[in-house]
Amino acid sequence: MNTFKNISLKSFNTFGVEARAAELIEIFSLDDLKQILPRLVFEKYMFLGGGSNVLFIKDFDGLVIVNRMKGLCADPISENDIHVTALSGENWHDFVLWTLDRGFYGLENMSLIPGTVGAAPMQNIGAYGVEFKDYCLTVDAIELATGEIKSFDHATCQFGYRESVFKRVLKDKYFIYQIHLKLSRNSPIQASYGNIQDVLKLKGISNPSHLDISNAVIEIRSSKLPNPLDLGNAGSFFKNPVLEREKAEILLTAFPTAPNFSDGDMIKIPAGWLIEQCGFKGYREGNVGSHKDQALVIVNYGGASGQEIYTYSEKIISEVAKKFNLVLEREVNMIGF
Ligand code: EPU
């Protein structure tokens, strides 16, 4: 375990905002975590994975625990199916590549999603028609109050769109320690999502392999989403609003060109489109702005404070509310609000 006092968090968040933590501890094992559990009863703390979904609005006057737990293994279930276990501090994309390298398929559409393995169940990450929950068997987590390890099966995780029980009722009560997935050597190819088909067509690929899908997703993401190493950002800043049919129909009557997707009984409207309609795509205000190719992403042009980014996001919420009569919800976690 590594301990740092009064440390800058700039390199620990992909927005690249300056904020300081009173203390930061990197943990490499469950034993490391168990050692600090007693402190969590009476101290202010937060867990951090890849820092790709947080915005530090001000300094954090507590303990930041950075998860560096690494470990991957695979056990056959049957001729084609494999049980894969990954520790939560692994980088998600490296994990996806590790599975693809071994011919274990299913995660290819979720290539290049930033963050750690532990963050994946937390917010049920998803991209290009696939979500984490589609492959999840169980999630092992440690109860912070008791140190006990509990295994959460699929139903108990209560997965939803960018949601899980760990973000809701069990928020701050458990630390996700490892995940178990069921992958397959003959998992179905999921190429129906619009952009994937376009890229495959351009490459002349009519019968794509799982690797072709992964490469197409990597290409799309790299072309549309800014690399945090070049331009600070945390991916989608807002969730796509999911509306009841009645409310969606009012919006679609007023704005017939709005893209929309059925999600069970509900209709999902892309927040990127709503934000673009309000004139924010490529708009910049000081050090903050909305990305030129994807309005859903807020970027730090360099030197922006967390507060500046937060204020800018408030402006987007208020303009979208004025024009469309709906309130965008942030996907990124606000720290220090
Ligand atoms: N759109 C616009 N303007 C924009 C952006 C998007 O009109 O500036 C329209 C597009 O034309 C398209 C629709 O919105 O019709 C959907 O856009 P896209 O396919 O880019 O996906 P998204 O809904 O904006 C979601 C996820 C992404 C994920 C992509 C691909 C959320 C909040 N975001 O974005 O996840 O990569 O789908 O599956 O659900 C992330 O969570 O950080 C993230 C990047």
Side-chain angles (χ1 to χ4, degrees):
M1 145 159 85
N2 295 329
T3 304
F4 306 88
K5 296 274 167 101
N6 185 22
I7 183 177
S8 166
L9 294 169
K10 193 166 177 176
S11 61
F12 290 90
N13 73 95
T14 60
F15 253 126
V17 301
E18 184 54 271
R20 298 191 85 75
E23 188 174 351
L24 182 146
I25 297 181
E26 289 178 310
I27 54 168
F28 296 88
S29 65
L30 259 193
D31 275 349
D32 284 354
L33 176 61
K34 282 183 179 161
Q35 275 186 51
I36 54 174
L37 278 187
R39 291 184 54 183
L40 308 189
V41 178
F42 55 88
E43 283 186 42
K44 180 174 171 183
Y45 67 91
M46 66 171 286
F47 286 101
L48 200 58
S52 55
N53 209 35
V54 288
L55 178 63
F56 288 103
I57 296 174
K58 56 184 187 196
D59 289 344
F60 189 75
D61 59 341
L63 169 61
V64 175
I65 305 157
V66 179
N67 182 3
R68 302 271 189 234
M69 292 186 197
K70 300 275 167 76
L72 300 169
C73 73
D75 299 297
I77 303 174
S78 64
E79 199 184 323
N80 286 318
D81 296 342
I82 306 99
H83 173 167
V84 172
T85 308
L87 261 69
S88 53
E90 289 281 352
N91 172 274
W92 173 263
H93 180 60
D94 291 346
F95 167 54
V96 172
L97 294 182
W98 181 89
T99 61
L100 295 175
D101 259 0
R102 282 157 185 77
F104 310 154
Y105 303 126
L107 305 181
E108 50 281 355
N109 295 48
M110 293 187 282
S111 297
L112 213 62
I113 294 188
T116 53
V117 159
M122 181 71 80
Q123 57 161 346
N124 182 27
I125 58 171
Y128 306 102
V130 176
E131 286 183 326
F132 174 81
K133 71 171 169 54
D134 303 337
Y135 294 92
C136 175
L137 291 172
T138 48
V139 174
D140 296 339
I142 181 164
E143 189 175 20
L144 299 176
T146 61
E148 271 174 42
I149 293 178
K150 189 174 165 193
S151 207
F152 291 79
D153 64 18
H154 198 282
T156 322
C157 288
Q158 295 176 25
F159 292 122
Y161 168 57
R162 295 295 193 273
E163 284 298 346
S164 78
V165 74
F166 304 106
K167 261 182 91 174
R168 295 274 172 195
V169 279
L170 298 186
K171 189 168 163 36
D172 299 331
K173 295 204 163 39
Y174 283 86
F175 168 82
I176 294 171
Y177 153 56
Q178 65 182 4
I179 61 165
H180 301 269
L181 304 181
K182 185 177 161 191
L183 303 179
S184 177
R185 294 189 188 279
N186 59 358
S187 137
I189 298 272
Q190 316 219 38
S192 56
Y193 201 93
N195 314 33
I196 293 188
Q197 291 207 327
D198 298 343
V199 171
L200 294 174
K201 212 182 245 170
L202 264 170
K203 293 186 166 187
I205 301 173
S206 54
N207 194 12
S209 66
H210 298 89
L211 224 54
D212 290 332
I213 300 288
S214 171
N215 288 333
V217 168
I218 291 174
E219 200 172 311
I220 299 165
R221 288 189 78 99
S222 320
S223 71
K224 278 208 327 196
L225 300 169
N227 182 343
L229 295 174
D230 306 328
L231 209 52
N233 75 89
S236 303
F237 194 89
F238 301 98
K239 288 187 188 181
N240 288 328
V242 182
L243 307 180
E244 310 223 319
R245 248 161 222 284
E246 223 169 84
K247 185 155 188 200
E249 268 154 25
I250 298 174
L251 190 146
L252 293 172
T253 308
F255 301 94
T257 58
N260 58 94
F261 306 93
S262 275
D263 186 0
D265 286 344
M266 314 285 276
I267 307 270
K268 202 186 267 184
I269 312 276
W273 184 86
L274 300 166
I275 297 167
E276 182 177 344
Q277 297 306 303
C278 293
F280 284 105
K281 193 171 185 172
Y283 175 74
R284 177 172 176 172
E285 210 169 85
N287 295 322
V288 189
S290 302
H291 193 246
K292 63 176 177 33
D293 301 320
Q294 169 53 289
L296 193 49
V297 178
I298 296 185
V299 294
N300 173 6
Y301 285 101
S305 69
Q307 183 61 52
E308 263 176 277
I309 294 173
Y310 180 78
T311 306
Y312 182 79
S313 72
E314 288 277 88
K315 187 168 176 175
I316 292 179
I317 292 174
S318 124
E319 291 302 314
V320 169
K322 254 192 258 166
K323 192 171 172 88
F324 296 103
N325 189 30
L326 60 85
V327 179
L328 289 181
E329 208 182 308
R330 292 179 182 86
E331 197 211 282
V332 172
N333 298 311
M334 303 295 116
I335 309 294
F337 179 66

